[in-house]
Amino acid sequence: MQGATTSAKVTFLKCMDEETRGIALTAAKACAPKAGVPVAKMESCFKSSAGDELLKAASKRFNDAFPSLVTVPHTFVNDKDIRADYELLRN
């Protein structure tokens, strides 16, 4: 997704959230075209050490930001970490 627009990234993530196939690569292959990402390039990254390194970096960044137990989805308002009342968010 390097070089992809924010819109393309959101499109891809939304598609991945809605995918029901349960296998990451299979879902990514279905979602990549919707985001304008070449499937072959994504699959190559997924199967390479670069994919592993990206996953490690993402995990580290998440764990550094949330060193204790965290809920997903997590809510921030104006960069402030809050415990949301999810009933209010649904309305």
Side-chain angles (χ1 to χ4, degrees):
M1 302 285 311
Q2 255 180 333
T5 65
T6 299
S7 178
K9 291 174 185 177
V10 170
T11 297
F12 179 80
L13 292 173
K14 179 179 182 291
C15 179
M16 289 294 287
D17 283 347
E18 294 170 348
E19 248 317 309
T20 59
R21 297 173 212 213
I23 299 170
L25 184 57
T26 302
K29 285 180 178 180
C31 294
K34 295 176 183 178
V37 176
V39 173
K41 189 173 182 180
M42 181 170 286
E43 184 173 10
S44 175
C45 179
F46 181 88
K47 292 180 176 180
S48 74
S49 62
D52 293 335
E53 291 304 315
L54 287 169
L55 187 56
K56 284 181 193 175
S59 177
K60 180 175 178 0
R61 185 168 181 176
F62 185 89
N63 290 329
D64 286 349
F66 305 104
S68 60
L69 185 61
V70 65
T71 58
V72 175
H74 201 74
T75 306
F76 288 88
V77 175
N78 296 327
D79 293 326
K80 183 178 179 184
D81 185 9
I82 64 166
R83 293 267 179 199
D85 177 348
Y86 289 101
E87 284 301 315
L88 293 174
L89 291 173
R90 289 182 212 181
N91 297 324

